[in-house]
């Protein structure tokens, strides 16, 4: 999702039988299970956006809408797993072979050794890009702290699931928000919690060798949907169900995360982006 200058768009996407094993294609395939009612955010479409079913260790893990021009994910959609919040960092960073070639493997792979990135760096970010980002860290959209199984945690370490975040924001306000949501859903969500986390951009880029390589998000946003929740939860938490949202400025300062209703988040994004007037994050606003 982008600010004026480049249109970022979203579609309602349903799986077709012919796309069951497709990892990159016109639908999210097997990964529609990570979307509430199997439906992606609706809005507009753009030719540079690719729908990735993020697969790892032979299983689908989450869905990502990826911008092959800006080389960042527009959003990642996943289901929350009850978690103790521990991080797993002992896995190699990975890339998506099918963004470069339809004949590539249908799941993420560790970056190869040697100078072979030119084979796929036109379509996605590579490790060298973040080496030029002195002030930024690789910030997850689907964070490993929101997953429980080792393989699900490992799958979040793909460059197709991260964006440049200021370190102060990544380890500060945004990390606190991710932990707040983890604790809330752990304590009060009684069914499946669907989460979509995305970005807006304004044209600022990380450059490598005098070439624009990776877009720098202006805002991070996130929303969850859990229709089965504890009706006896304290009101201070209960009113944030079945759905709630948040956004924060990706900056060193003034980067407080604001929690608000999903509808207010949609209106905020409409006011700063070129999304369709019918833009909707969850199917029927996550109303049962």
């Amino acid at each position: 999702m982008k600010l004026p200058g480049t249109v970022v768009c979203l579609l309602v996407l349903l799986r077709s039988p012919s796309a069951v094993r497709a990892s990159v294609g016109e639908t999210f395939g097997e990964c529609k299970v990570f979307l509430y009612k199997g439906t992606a955010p609706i809005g507009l479409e753009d030719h540079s956006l690719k729908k990735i079913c993020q697969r790892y260790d032979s299983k689908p893990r989450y869905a990502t809408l990826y911008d092959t021009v800006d080389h960042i994910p527009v959003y990642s959609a996943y289901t929350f797993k009850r978690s103790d919040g521990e991080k797993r960092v002992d896995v190699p960073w990975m890339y998506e072979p099918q963004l470069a070639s339809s004949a590539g493997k249908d799941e993420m792979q560790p970056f190869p050794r040697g100078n072979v990135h030119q084979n796929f760096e036109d379509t996605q970010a590579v490790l060298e890009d973040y080496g030029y980002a002195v002030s930024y860290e690789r910030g997850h959209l689907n964070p490993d702290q929101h997953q429980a199984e080792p393989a699900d945690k490992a799958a979040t370490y793909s460059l197709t699931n991260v964006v440049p975040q200021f370190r102060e924001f990544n380890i500060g306000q945004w990390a606190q928000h991710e932990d707040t949501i983890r604790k809330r859903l752990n304590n009060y969500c009684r069914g499946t919690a669907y989460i979509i986390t995305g970005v807006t951009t304004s044209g600022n880029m990380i450059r490598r060798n005098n070439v624009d390589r990776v877009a720098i998000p202006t805002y991070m946003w996130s929303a969850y949907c859990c229709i089965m929740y504890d009706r006896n939860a304290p009101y201070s938490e209960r009113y944030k169900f079945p759905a709630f949202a948040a956004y924060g400025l990706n900056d060193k300062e003034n980067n407080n995360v604001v929690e608000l209703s999903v509808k207010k988040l949609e209106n905020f994004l409409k006011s700063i982006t070129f999304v369709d007037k019918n833009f909707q994050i969850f199917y029927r606003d996550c109303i049962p």
Side-chain angles (χ1 to χ4, degrees), residues 8-20:
V8 167
C9 323
L10 314 171
L11 277 172
V12 176
L13 303 168
L14 298 176
R15 183 178 70 177
S16 64
S18 62
V20 169

Side-chain angles (χ1 to χ4, degrees), residues 223-239:
Y224 64 81
C225 167
C226 171
I227 61 173
M228 295 179 61
Y229 59 93
D230 185 354
R231 307 281 175 160
N232 295 316
Y235 178 75
S236 60
E237 296 294 330
R238 190 170 71 247
Y239 86 91

Side-chain angles (χ1 to χ4, degrees), residues 104-286:
K105 294 183 178 180
D106 66 352
E107 63 180 49
M108 62 185 72
Q109 298 290 319
F111 278 94
R113 295 179 180 274
N115 187 24
V116 295
H117 291 169
Q118 63 270 23
N119 293 334
F120 50 79
E121 66 180 9
D122 285 347
T123 58
Q124 59 196 288
V126 297
L127 293 172
E128 286 82 353
D129 294 325
Y130 283 89
Y132 282 71
V134 178
S135 299
Y136 303 94
E137 294 187 342
R138 287 164 281 200
H140 288 66
L141 298 191
N142 172 10
D144 59 355
Q145 299 98 315
H146 285 186
Q147 302 298 328
E149 297 300 322
D152 284 331
K153 288 179 177 288
T156 66
Y157 286 86
S158 169
L159 289 194
T160 51
N161 179 51
V162 302
V163 296
Q165 281 186 312
F166 275 103
R167 173 177 172 79
E168 293 82 355
F169 183 54
N170 185 37
I171 68 173
Q173 296 291 337
W174 194 252
Q176 292 175 26
H177 168 70
E178 289 175 336
D179 196 52
T180 295
I181 299 306
R182 180 187 67 82
K183 292 175 180 176
R184 181 181 301 157
L185 297 179
N186 270 352
N187 291 332
Y188 304 116
C189 181
R190 299 292 179 257
T192 300
Y194 300 88
I195 301 181
I196 298 179
T197 299
V199 304
T200 72
T201 61
S202 58
N204 294 325
M205 303 286 291
I206 292 173
R207 293 174 62 84
R208 177 165 61 88
N209 298 330
N210 295 319
V211 176
D212 288 342
R213 284 294 303 161
V214 181
I216 300 170
T218 304
Y219 284 97
M220 302 283 297
W221 59 267
S222 187
Y224 64 81
C225 167
C226 171
I227 61 173
M228 295 179 61
Y229 59 93
D230 185 354
R231 307 281 175 160
N232 295 316
Y235 178 75
S236 60
E237 296 294 330
R238 190 170 71 247
Y239 86 91
K240 298 172 183 175
F241 287 92
F244 219 57
Y247 70 87
L249 181 67
N250 180 31
D251 202 350
K252 293 181 178 181
E253 301 175 347
N254 301 319
N255 53 18
N256 289 336
V257 175
V258 178
E259 280 203 276
L260 69 177
S261 69
V262 173
K263 181 59 68 177
K264 287 182 178 179
L265 173 62
E266 290 171 345
N267 290 336
F268 172 73
L269 295 176
K270 289 176 185 178
S271 72
I272 64 170
T273 71
F274 281 134
V275 295
D276 187 280
K277 65 179 181 179
N278 296 316
F279 172 64
Q280 189 174 72
I281 296 173
F282 294 117
Y283 176 78
R284 294 188 177 179
D285 293 324
C286 184

